[in-house]
Amino acid sequence: MDETELSKSHTTWTLAMPNAPQPSTFDVACSIRKWAVEHGIMRPVAGALEASINATATAIKASTDFESMMRQKELLSIAFNEASRTIYLYTKRKVTGKDLKTLPSSILNCGIAYPQGVVEEIGKNNQIAHGAAASMILAGGANRYACGSSISPGNSHSAGTLGALVVDAAGVIHGLSNNHVTGLCNHSQVGLPILAPGVLDVGPGGVNPFTLGFHKTVLDMAIGTQGNVDVSRNSDAAIFEIFQTANVSSSQGGVYDTPTSIVDPLDGMVVEKVGRTTGHTRGKIVGQELMPVEISYSAPNFGFQGRILFENVWVIHGENVPFGQPGDSGSLIVQIDGGGLRHAVGLLFAGGTDSLGPENQRTFFLPIRPILEKLQVSLLGGHNV
């Protein structure tokens, strides 16, 4: 690819070597990033991560107009969809219709989209529930608290989502959510009561608050750059031991039961979830972030604020409405296969703006398989449904 020249023609850049093998969308995304880093448009990731990703990439040869535009609009991140051969160049400032007339619509046979979008800070603002924050399921003649409902640590005026019930090797049942929901960004003490509904959602006419369980453990969420911390270990997840298993159901808000099988995410996969804020929503996986995503977290009550890098982050657009909103963090994301069976895919943990998404929103998730493996638990279905 060293001898490859990119020529701009009708806002399309193509390879001048017709017999060269077509590069993957990932390869092209790496070539764009390498160019952006070399020209000071994007800052490199510290440590060896940048070099490892771009080791085999050759920087694109871009026009001065493209360089000027990406600098002016502030290119923030790159995501890619291998199935549709689409690359998303997320910018801080909006790329207008007039701008698009001078920008390439394709690079190396990959379609290029220019959404405006930033990553939202977690914990900065209190969430507001759009619908029912908590669901009680009638099963076996008793009301059970459902997954997809509001939870929080007992000492935090907040609310997130009970994603699923999980079980460890000893058969002990736990609740699964995000570290920043029940683990308070590493600040929950072991044994801290986890309330249902979350403190933020306690009010007249709602579910009477009760202790659903007690905080058990979190996965690493270390502040710092690659080389100082192992970014690949970062994962926003936590579990708490269920206090009285008769009080909780594996049903996802009464819509469907928690699946126990797992599939890895794929571009274009249609997914759904039940969450504390937006309830039951459907969407589609639009791509995967090329580089680690930096998420800003704050837990003001504990004097915590920091930026944490996450690898293997995937992006979802909702179906007509946002797939998730603040307070949906911790929701279990599932997929329905061709036979109508559901499989777990990921854990919702963050979001951001996106001019291509409904209501200018996108949702971030982490694959569920490595989360369960690190926690040494399995998904539990069929419990009090």
Side-chain angles (χ1 to χ4, degrees):
M1 205 168 155
D2 291 341
E3 298 177 1
T4 299
E5 292 293 335
L6 290 172
S7 60
K8 184 178 176 185
S9 175
H10 303 294
T11 68
T12 299
W13 293 345
T14 58
L15 278 169
M17 295 171 58
N19 296 325
Q22 179 169 264
S24 69
T25 311
F26 170 78
D27 291 335
V28 177
C30 286
S31 294
I32 296 173
R33 178 174 175 86
K34 188 170 185 178
W35 164 83
V37 170
E38 288 179 351
H39 287 75
I41 295 170
M42 302 184 79
R43 61 184 177 87
V45 174
L49 189 58
E50 188 81 48
S52 67
I53 288 182
N54 291 331
T56 59
T58 299
I60 62 170
K61 296 182 180 180
S63 69
T64 55
D65 288 344
F66 182 68
E67 178 179 345
S68 175
M69 189 69 71
M70 290 298 95
R71 199 180 301 279
Q72 176 190 344
K73 300 300 181 180
E74 292 191 46
L75 178 59
L76 298 176
S77 67
I78 301 173
F80 66 98
N81 183 311
E82 203 71 65
S84 65
R85 290 190 63 79
T86 304
I87 295 173
Y88 301 90
L89 304 182
Y90 282 95
T91 59
K92 185 175 182 179
R93 296 182 179 86
K94 183 179 180 180
V95 173
T96 66
K98 181 180 178 181
D99 296 331
L100 290 174
K101 294 180 180 178
T102 63
L103 290 172
S105 59
S106 176
I107 297 177
L108 301 179
N109 296 321
C110 289
I112 306 296
Y114 300 90
Q116 179 187 21
V118 299
V119 179
E120 295 173 345
E121 181 176 337
I122 293 177
K124 184 177 181 179
N125 301 311
N126 283 338
Q127 311 96 330
I128 299 174
H130 295 185
S135 296
M136 301 295 292
I137 304 301
L138 182 62
N143 285 323
R144 326 283 186 169
Y145 201 70
C147 295
S149 297
S150 170
I151 56 173
S152 80
N155 61 346
S156 174
H157 189 252
S158 60
T161 298
L162 168 62
L165 297 182
V166 295
V167 59
D168 64 17
V172 179
I173 298 176
H174 298 77
L176 172 69
S177 190
N178 290 144
N179 183 336
H180 79 263
V181 173
T182 59
L184 289 173
C185 299
N186 302 331
H187 286 78
S188 287
Q189 293 180 316
V190 174
L192 177 69
I194 305 301
L195 299 189
V199 174
L200 187 63
D201 294 327
V202 174
V207 175
N208 289 328
F210 65 98
T211 297
L212 184 62
F214 300 95
H215 173 67
K216 179 70 174 293
T217 190
V218 301
L219 293 184
D220 284 352
M221 217 164 66
I223 300 173
T225 59
Q226 182 72 20
N228 295 313
V229 300
D230 185 354
V231 171
S232 67
R233 291 175 57 88
N234 283 344
S235 185
D236 191 350
I239 56 173
F240 57 94
E241 186 173 337
I242 298 296
F243 178 35
Q244 294 179 318
T245 59
N247 290 339
V248 67
S249 170
S250 61
S251 170
Q252 295 283 334
V255 183
Y256 51 83
D257 191 21
T258 298
T260 57
S261 61
I262 300 167
V263 295
D264 296 320
L266 293 173
D267 296 325
M269 181 181 280
V270 176
V271 293
E272 60 184 326
K273 72 98 182 72
V274 178
R276 167 262 179 195
T277 305
T278 57
H280 181 218
T281 57
R282 294 183 176 88
K284 180 181 289 187
I285 297 175
V286 297
Q288 182 181 7
E289 289 286 339
L290 176 65
M291 299 295 288
V293 175
E294 187 175 64
I295 309 288
S296 294
Y297 288 86
S298 63
N301 294 342
F302 302 91
F304 171 78
Q305 187 169 7
R307 297 179 178 180
I308 302 170
L309 288 165
F310 295 90
E311 292 184 343
N312 201 15
V313 175
W314 294 72
V315 181
I316 296 175
H317 283 171
E319 187 179 275
N320 301 320
V321 297
F323 186 76
Q325 293 279 26
D328 287 327
S329 290
S331 300
L332 183 70
I333 297 169
V334 305
Q335 175 252 2
I336 304 178
D337 65 19
L341 298 177
R342 285 186 172 85
H343 310 276
V345 178
L347 197 66
L348 190 157
F349 83 113
T353 58
D354 187 332
S355 58
L356 298 180
E359 298 182 25
N360 297 319
Q361 295 291 312
R362 58 179 157 159
T363 297
F364 296 120
F365 76 92
L366 298 168
I368 194 65
R369 189 186 303 278
I371 288 174
L372 298 177
E373 290 175 351
K374 291 176 182 177
L375 290 168
Q376 298 183 339
V377 294
S378 302
L379 289 167
L380 177 66
H383 181 79
N384 291 331
V385 294

